């Protein structure tokens, strides 16, 4: 299991130190007052961990997250008596209430919030040759559906990072329910302070989410730094094909509900080159992406005509359709393209 939220121990000279109380060298440091029992050591061995301290710290992290989920469910179930006229429903239930999540589950494959669903995610991953020996970092994981599919089908370990804290919480809950919280943890992260572990991951990937990340020049440098030798990076993203004026960008951002920081394909190529990546694929996938979007919506609308849809879910249909149809319009009029980049680093 290769996930880490903790720092390596270091002595005053910056060298890795020994785990004094355990009698063996450990890369990680036990919290004060904690100790490793025989049962924990045996379970760590059974789970395939070389370092039982790493296993113990991960269990602490999972237990804390599980407790947080429990407290959140209790808090959300509390009785609330708001004064009339003062309740903002959207703020009260958050950006991702169950009805909106159900809409996406119906629109794309269950838990996969990208056009093309499971099949496209697996197709994109083919050049990576993923297996159980590799550890991956996903940026923009949303509910973690892609990460769980890759872990299930290919055996890979994935640390899934999501910028939206509410989606990250819901995604981790799904991983817990699926019993893969160790193999596919979903966590909130700040792209401006990513705190990525150096030289750790074999693969970094992101499917259509980096246009929402500010400071991409620095951020891509952080992604390069977290890769091991012979590391791989796979990105799909919306890229500008011509300059958008301030009003055009503001209108697009309004429909997306996020601040946007899109690059051109050339900016990606230039930055990846500066970071010593060998770019193997830089391909315009706009036509394929458009097909996936249109097929998903046509199927959903056909199903609605035949069998209807939960009225609460219908409340979220129009704004989501407006957002996706705006993407279609921008892709078709040539102001946007959807690109795939695959590169390796020595």
């Amino acid at each position: 299991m290769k996930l880490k939220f903790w720092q390596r121990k270091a002595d005053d000279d910056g060298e890795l130190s020994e785990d004094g109380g355990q009698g063996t060298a450990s890369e990680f440091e036990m919290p004060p007052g904690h100790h490793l029992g025989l049962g924990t050591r045996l379970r760590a061995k059974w789970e395939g961990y070389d370092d039982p301290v790493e296993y113990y710290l991960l269990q602490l992290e999972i237990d804390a997250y599980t407790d947080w989920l429990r407290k959140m469910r209790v808090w959300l179930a509390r009785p609330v008596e708001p004064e009339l006229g003062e309740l903002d429903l959207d703020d009260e239930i958050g950006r991702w209430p169950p009805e909106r999540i159900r809409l996406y589950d119906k629109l794309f494959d269950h838990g996969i919030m990208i056009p093309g669903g499971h099949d496209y995610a697996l197709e994109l991953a083919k050049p990576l040759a993923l297996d159980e020996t590799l550890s991956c970092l996903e940026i923009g994981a949303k509910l973690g559906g892609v990460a769980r599919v890759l872990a299930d089908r290919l055996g890979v370990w994935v640390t899934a990072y999501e910028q939206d804290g509410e989606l990250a919480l819901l995604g981790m809950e799904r991983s817990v329910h699926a019993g893969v919280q160790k193999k596919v943890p979903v966590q909130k992260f700040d792209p401006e302070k990513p705190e990525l572990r150096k030289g750790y991951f074999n693969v970094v990937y992101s499917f259509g989410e980096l246009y929402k990340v500010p400071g991409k020049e620095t951020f891509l440098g952080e992604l390069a730094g977290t890769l091991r030798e012979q590391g791989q990076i796979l990105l799909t993203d919306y890229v500008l094909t011509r300059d958008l004026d301030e009003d055009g960008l503001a209108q697009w951002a309004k429909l997306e509900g996020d601040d946007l920081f899109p690059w051109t394909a050339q900016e990606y190529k230039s930055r990846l080159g500066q970071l010593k990546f060998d770019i193997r694929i830089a391909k315009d996938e706009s036509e394929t992406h458009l097909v996936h979007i249109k097929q998903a919506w046509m199927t959903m609308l056909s199903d609605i005509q035949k069998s209807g849809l939960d009225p609460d879910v219908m409340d979220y249909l129009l704004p989501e359709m407006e957002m996706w149809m705006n993407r279609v319009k921008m892709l078709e009029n040539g102001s946007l393209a959807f690109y795939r980049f695959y590169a390796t680093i020595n």
Side-chain angles (χ1 to χ4, degrees):
M1 172 64 180
K2 308 303 174 212
L3 283 165
K4 284 308 68 54
F5 320 110
W6 315 283
Q7 297 297 318
R8 297 173 179 230
K9 293 194 301 182
D11 57 26
D12 293 339
D13 297 323
E15 297 293 327
L16 291 183
S17 61
E18 298 285 314
D19 185 35
Q22 309 303 326
T24 58
S26 175
E27 184 181 7
F28 303 97
E29 186 168 6
M30 290 287 287
H34 291 242
H35 70 279
L36 289 174
L38 178 60
T40 300
R41 292 175 179 276
L42 291 175
R43 285 194 297 273
K45 186 74 172 176
W46 177 260
E47 293 286 350
Y49 286 77
D50 295 326
D51 186 348
V53 179
E54 179 184 16
Y55 174 82
Y56 181 84
L57 291 172
L58 178 59
Q59 299 310 304
L60 291 182
E61 187 78 12
I62 291 171
D63 290 344
Y65 219 129
T66 302
D67 186 59
W68 182 27
L69 291 175
R70 180 187 61 77
K71 290 178 180 177
M72 284 295 293
R73 283 194 289 268
V74 171
W75 183 83
L76 290 171
R78 77 201 191 287
V80 179
E81 296 293 337
E83 294 183 13
L84 293 177
E86 292 189 359
L87 175 61
D88 185 331
L89 184 60
D90 288 338
D91 288 342
E92 185 70 16
I93 61 178
R95 293 184 63 191
W96 293 98
E99 295 79 13
R100 189 180 181 192
I101 296 295
R102 289 206 301 272
L103 177 64
Y104 268 89
D105 281 342
K106 188 171 183 62
L107 184 60
F108 305 124
D109 290 339
H110 184 77
I112 304 287
M113 299 178 71
I114 64 170
H118 295 78
D119 291 341
Y120 187 54
L122 290 167
E123 181 69 25
L124 287 173
K126 278 184 179 179
L128 301 172
L130 298 176
D131 61 34
E132 66 277 2
T133 67
L134 302 179
S135 60
C136 294
L137 173 65
E138 180 178 5
I139 301 297
K142 295 189 178 295
L143 291 172
V146 170
R148 285 187 291 274
V149 166
L150 296 182
D152 179 59
R153 302 284 184 87
L154 305 175
V156 70
W157 301 82
V158 185
T159 299
Y161 276 178
E162 169 53 44
Q163 193 171 349
D164 185 309
E166 188 177 2
L167 276 179
L169 175 64
L170 294 170
M172 186 61 180
E173 186 172 26
R174 289 195 176 197
S175 284
V176 170
H177 286 170
V180 294
Q181 63 269 32
K182 299 175 186 177
K183 201 165 191 176
V184 187
V186 184
Q187 293 182 280
K188 183 181 186 303
F189 87 114
D190 181 354
E192 296 188 77
K193 298 176 182 177
E195 299 181 356
L196 302 179
R197 188 173 171 188
K198 301 298 182 183
Y200 184 74
F201 293 99
N202 301 104
V203 174
V204 171
Y205 70 88
S206 178
F207 293 157
E209 289 296 311
L210 293 190
Y211 71 108
K212 299 177 185 177
V213 171
K216 262 189 286 294
E217 184 165 337
T218 300
F219 184 69
L220 286 176
E222 293 290 328
L223 295 187
T226 200
L227 285 170
R228 298 179 183 177
E229 291 185 7
Q230 310 301 318
Q232 304 175 85
I233 190 167
L234 173 65
L235 309 173
T236 65
D237 202 18
Y238 294 103
V239 299
L240 295 175
T241 56
R242 60 173 181 248
D243 288 338
L244 281 181
D245 60 27
E246 195 171 302
D247 290 341
L249 185 59
Q251 178 62 24
W252 181 21
K254 181 180 179 181
L255 290 170
E256 296 279 340
D258 279 300
D259 294 329
L260 305 181
F261 309 91
W263 267 12
T264 65
Q266 185 55 48
E267 284 177 299
Y268 270 113
K269 293 175 188 176
S270 296
R271 183 56 178 152
L272 290 173
Q274 291 170 1
L275 294 169
K276 309 303 181 184
F277 278 99
D278 178 12
I279 301 174
R280 307 292 183 87
I281 298 173
K283 183 182 179 184
D284 187 340
E285 299 269 353
S286 298
E287 289 188 13
T288 299
H289 192 58
L290 281 167
V291 168
H292 289 157
I293 295 172
K294 291 178 179 180
Q295 283 181 342
W297 279 101
M298 288 173 63
T299 299
M300 170 172 275
L301 295 175
S302 176
D303 288 346
I304 290 173
Q305 288 180 335
K306 292 176 183 177
S307 56
L309 194 65
D310 184 333
D312 291 333
V313 175
M314 287 289 288
D315 290 341
Y316 293 91
L317 183 67
L318 183 58
E320 295 296 338
M321 184 182 293
E322 287 179 341
M323 183 193 76
W324 283 101
M325 291 307 104
N326 182 66
R327 292 185 187 182
V328 167
K329 180 183 73 174
M330 296 179 73
L331 289 164
E332 290 185 334
N333 69 24
S335 55
L336 272 189
F338 190 75
Y339 255 76
R340 172 165 57 113
F341 303 93
Y342 168 63
T344 59
I345 193 168
N346 294 321

